[in-house]
Amino acid sequence: MIRKLNIFEEIDWISVGIYFFLVIFGWMNIFASNYNEQFRSIFDLHQNYGDQLVWILVSLILIVVIFALDHRFFYFFTYPIYSFAILLLIAVLLFGSKVHGSKSWINIFGFGLQPSEFVKIAVALAVARYLSGYNVKLMTWKSIGIIAGIIGLPVILIIIQPDFGTAIVFSCFIFVLYREGLPGWILGFSIFTAVVFLMTLLLPKTVVIVLLFACSIIFIGILNQKYTHSLYSAMVLIAAYGLLRIIFYFSPFKPDIYMIWLIASVISAVILIFIVIWKKIQNAFFVLTVLFVFIGFTYSVDYVFHKVLKPHQQTRVNILLGKETDVKGVGYNLNQSKIAIGAGGFAGKGYLRGTQTKLNYVPEQSTDFIFCTVGEEWGFIGVVFVIVAFSVLLLRMIVLAERQRSAFARIYGYGVFSILFFHFAINIAMTIGLFPVIGIPLPFFSYGGSSMIAFTILLFLFLRLDAVRKIYLK
């Protein structure tokens, strides 16, 4: 049963208000980051901030168009929209132009378009459309395969460009899947994989392998609720290590301590397999299989780091991990960004008074590093305002998503939340040195037509769906 309602009254004006605050404040900071005494007008269309004003106006027009369209349009045309987005990614590979080493842009009617920004919307819609389908169960091989295809296809095309930063963004959809019934152990497994990846970059592989073996011993006890098995296995590992230390002490061959632990782990693993067979310990073979998979993973990380990542990307990761110091080369942006943010103090130096900003010490300051402009000119107070605004918007997305009566709208809402959260968290972490510099914009804030328009469509498409949530009676 359908009833009429006033869409204008049903719009979530809290989200709209936060959007306009971020857009306008972002525009002001783009002006500050490009400020020049010769070009004092914020409306100068020959400057970056003038371009951004144009994209803001275009975004406003698109908001009107989104609310003018029937809300069912987005549901019925989801798959054509997704297909068109994939074609754009293919077109970029064929006809695109390179920017900063990545073939991510394509010229359409004189406008430089970055399709990967819009593909996020298409993927969010496609995931929502599929999962909201009749009798679709997430935890089946068919559903997992289809979801993996929907998300994985654009990721592969984006990696080919190559644009690893944007490709990483699509990992945020795991939060959507978790909300829709993905078991918690999969989320935990993903986090554990990320931890192992980080450990592999920080520690010698032998140390990581020994730690993995120790974890597997603990997991065997947890899964079977018989911690004596874990205790026996730990004793075997320690005994093997002690015996090897004695043997190598009298041997002419003197391996380092890491190698001894590795050999002890291998011996212990063999003994553990016999114990598992003898005692018929349940789930032990599964744990050991996972162990060997992760051991292989540690070697694959080493291969990817040294063979796939480009030298400047390797340097960025090493700088973040504290393994390298390069304040004049690849690490220059990050170092200057932290100086700018720190120089702002509590209340900032004042609008248009940032020395780091005025003297162009921070490259890409109006795009990826726009947050450091806030830190320098508005200080801790400005930084808190921006973080609070984004946090309220993100919490609002969860509230709106949970109140949807349509599964399609709810799932898409969580997609919006996941994408915005990932960009917000990673961009800010990137500018203060808590994450490698991967080049993703701060939503509604960073300079760029593609990102401004894409994030606007992403958000207001959901607000359009939310505005008609009452149209279907329970």
Side-chain angles (χ1 to χ4, degrees), residues 215-226 229-230 233 272 276 281-284 287-288:
C215 288
S216 68
I217 290 175
I218 296 171
F219 281 132
I220 288 174
I222 293 174
L223 289 175
N224 295 282
Q225 296 184 347
K226 291 184 179 180
H229 295 156
S230 296
S233 301
L272 183 57
V276 166
I281 301 175
Q282 295 180 352
N283 302 315
V287 174
L288 290 174

Side-chain angles (χ1 to χ4, degrees), residues 93-140:
L93 296 176
L94 296 176
F95 312 109
S97 53
K98 275 196 174 184
V99 177
H100 300 305
S102 296
K103 211 173 190 181
S104 306
W105 297 81
I106 187 171
N107 291 318
I108 299 178
F109 303 115
F111 167 61
L113 182 73
Q114 189 176 8
S116 57
E117 293 293 339
F118 297 91
V119 171
K120 301 166 194 172
I121 306 171
V123 171
L125 285 170
V127 169
R129 172 66 188 274
Y130 176 72
L131 289 179
S132 62
Y134 177 73
N135 201 30
V136 173
K137 296 180 180 179
L138 181 59
M139 289 310 297
T140 63

